[in-house]
Amino acid sequence: MVNRIARLPLAVLFLTLLLLSGADARPRVHHADKPHPQPDNPDGPFLADFPPGDPRIPSSHARDFSAGRVRFDGEKLVRLTLRPHDDAEELRDLRDGLVFYLESALALDVWGVHRTDEGGFAVDFRCSDEQLRTVADTLGVEADKRVEMEVVNPDIQEAIDRENVRLLKAHVEKVKGMAKKPGKKPPPANPSNPSAWFKEYHPYPEILSFFSNLAAEHPSLATFTPSIGKTYEGRDIAAITISAVPAEARDALKVKQIWWQGMIHAREWISGATVQFLAHKLLTAHADESDPDHTWAVKVLNESEFTIIPTVNPDGYEYTWSRDRMWRKNRRPVTGSSAYGVDLNRNYPDGWGTGGASKNPYSEAYQGPSPLSEPEVKVLTSYFLSHMKRAVLAIDFHSYSQLVLRPLGYSSYPAPHDAKLKAVGDAARDAIRATSGKKYVSEREIDLYAASGTAEDWFYSVDVGKKTTEDRGGNGRVYGFTIELRPSANEGGWGGDGFILPPESIIPVGEEIWAAMKAVVPKVLDDPLVNK
Ligand SMILES: [Zn+2]
């Protein structure tokens, strides 16, 4: 159902943006290799401007959680489409200003930014009727040929309800099975039965069992580390390392290293299922001589080591199971406000606070009070720096909208290795297309939207390169990518079910990303990045 609501006069929009955002509205351009200024008091202005109870703050932030699960009845996905413009820079400014206004000033939940077939941009965000009126009122509702606003999904809750019913049924079946045989434990997270495991998404403790069992089944290749550090709520963050080279020989043989991480954003469940699939496929293809990828897996594991972080944000992930399916951030209460959570993928130190994130603690893209303020990001970065000494590639998996994004996200300054980064990103895109027919877009992150303090930019940063490229005399860099998985933003007219991707997609997504990795890994092993 498409319900055309409002057209926005651009002059009013610009004026509003200017008033709301001051000088910080859009990302400032910095030389990627030079230090950049940090704001003095990042939280100050927003806490003052948007105290709890301000009608502009969405009601979802003040929900009564004691009532049980958060519901989104009547909330809709709204698409603001910016039509193509002769002045590309003005179009980008408008896009960035609009994202800032929705995500930061109003703390609305922006689901994605994507290109339209005509060459414009569309910004999708979730809101209630009341919030929609606020947006329309604030921006002014008048005819303007360049902007269009429409409801693309009238009921967010519907997909969540469908998923809840499915998960509940599965749970009941499991309990019934246990009741038939008293004393019997629940079925194990069993990697040797992949068709059962990849039929559904799983809560965090089961994911840990899956990886632990997977490593136990392949003891000569895999090492499961149950805890590389703790989250804010005290959960363990786990890692698994996979290589055919004996651990004690990897330094001497200068074995190159690859990093995959999933679930930095709690609600993006397919990103967790995908790294499970990749780890499982790597090990089973190596073990099974009849697997069509056996020779490939043997070769790659003989010359490299993979480290996989199954769930970067376990607190947030558990919260999506217990309370709020749309939760994205971690679960740390923000000091001095009633808000919870920092966007972990805006809290990495490289480019932190340079505009492609929010200073508003109520925002889904809240960057945190300082770089590395969050325990999860501290754990991940320090483990990366201590463990990855010959890093060539690091990928942060997300959903959704089918993108292969390369650095930089926080600056329009071209990455010195852009040609090589692009070639690798394009190879991933092409391999996916050849495997499943799905269209992923490969591009620089900032060309689509500004994002500062991301994992992708940090992986690629000069500083990380110095500490993680011993094989290149500390003069190398790491290929860093963000991959946004299915669905596309236009699936079913608006993005299918968005973050609620049906579990029937787990294996097809795993297979297309496995194909992408088969294209990408040999490239980065053959041609690791070196500074000129
Ligand atoms: Zn994400």
Side-chain angles (χ1 to χ4, degrees), residues 66-355:
S66 64
R69 281 177 193 240
V70 177
R71 292 189 59 85
F72 299 87
D73 297 297
E75 296 206 16
K76 33 194 60 62
L77 194 71
V78 176
R79 177 165 294 178
L80 245 161
T81 302
L82 306 172
R83 294 224 173 81
H85 197 285
D86 291 341
D87 186 340
E89 203 175 331
E90 192 184 323
L91 182 67
R92 282 198 301 273
D93 280 353
L94 179 60
R95 173 201 66 195
D96 292 344
L98 189 61
V99 171
F100 173 85
Y101 167 67
L102 295 169
E103 189 166 68
S104 223
L106 295 187
L108 286 173
D109 181 10
V110 173
W111 281 19
V113 179
H114 56 99
R115 290 176 188 279
T116 63
D117 290 343
E118 296 77 36
F121 291 99
V123 181
D124 292 349
F125 61 100
R126 169 172 66 82
C127 64
S128 65
D129 284 330
E130 193 187 334
Q131 290 159 348
L132 185 54
R133 277 194 296 276
T134 305
V135 172
D137 288 350
T138 314
L139 298 180
V141 182
E142 254 180 71
D144 188 306
K145 283 185 189 138
R146 289 167 297 184
V147 186
E148 188 184 317
M149 193 157 141
E150 55 189 2
V151 172
V152 287
N153 177 359
D155 184 10
I156 299 296
Q157 184 63 36
E158 199 242 342
I160 300 174
D161 283 344
R162 248 186 291 130
E163 183 180 74
N164 280 339
V165 168
R166 192 190 76 230
L167 291 172
L168 191 65
K169 272 187 189 162
H171 183 70
V172 167
E173 287 305 310
K174 198 150 103 181
V175 172
K176 269 203 240 161
M178 285 158 66
K180 274 183 198 154
K181 293 175 188 163
K184 190 176 172 252
K185 286 183 181 163
N190 189 353
S192 60
N193 188 0
S195 56
W197 175 258
F198 292 117
K199 205 166 70 180
E200 189 50 273
Y201 299 99
H202 306 275
Y204 190 53
E206 288 183 22
I207 292 173
L208 294 180
S209 302
F210 172 82
F211 277 97
S212 167
N213 294 341
L214 187 62
E217 282 181 10
H218 303 272
S220 62
L221 299 174
T223 308
F224 178 67
T225 308
S227 183
I228 60 165
K230 299 266 189 198
T231 65
Y232 173 76
E233 291 180 341
R235 289 187 178 82
D236 290 313
I237 300 174
I240 188 169
T241 298
I242 301 171
S243 174
V245 181
E248 60 280 7
R250 288 175 204 167
D251 281 342
L253 293 172
K254 295 188 174 170
V255 166
K256 292 191 176 64
Q257 295 168 303
I258 288 160
W259 175 279
W260 294 326
Q261 65 180 43
M263 302 291 323
I264 195 169
H265 287 148
R267 63 190 172 187
E268 299 167 8
W269 289 9
I270 187 63
S271 73
T274 299
V275 296
Q276 292 157 30
F277 185 95
L278 293 177
H280 179 267
K281 182 71 191 170
L282 203 49
L283 286 165
T284 51
H286 186 280
D288 177 4
E289 284 177 21
S290 69
D291 190 294
D293 294 321
H294 175 69
T295 312
W296 186 87
V298 168
K299 182 176 187 307
V300 160
L301 288 180
N302 277 342
E303 58 190 59
S304 56
E305 178 201 87
F306 292 74
T307 293
I308 296 141
I309 307 296
T311 309
V312 171
N313 178 14
D315 293 352
Y317 183 59
E318 281 289 85
Y319 197 70
T320 61
W321 281 77
S322 62
R323 287 295 178 92
D324 181 349
R325 181 62 180 86
M326 286 297 124
W327 196 258
R328 165 182 164 103
K329 304 188 281 182
N330 74 348
R331 287 293 305 158
R332 188 175 69 79
V334 178
T335 316
S337 80
S338 59
Y340 275 80
V342 167
D343 183 344
L344 300 179
N345 200 34
R346 299 292 184 276
N347 191 242
Y348 279 71
D350 197 66
W352 182 89
T354 52

Side-chain angles (χ1 to χ4, degrees), residues 111 153 156 158-160 162 326 400 487-488 491 494-502:
W111 281 19
N153 177 359
I156 299 296
E158 199 242 342
I160 300 174
R162 248 186 291 130
M326 286 297 124
Y400 64 102
S488 84
E491 188 101 20
W494 68 274
D497 289 327
F499 302 107
I500 319 283
L501 187 68

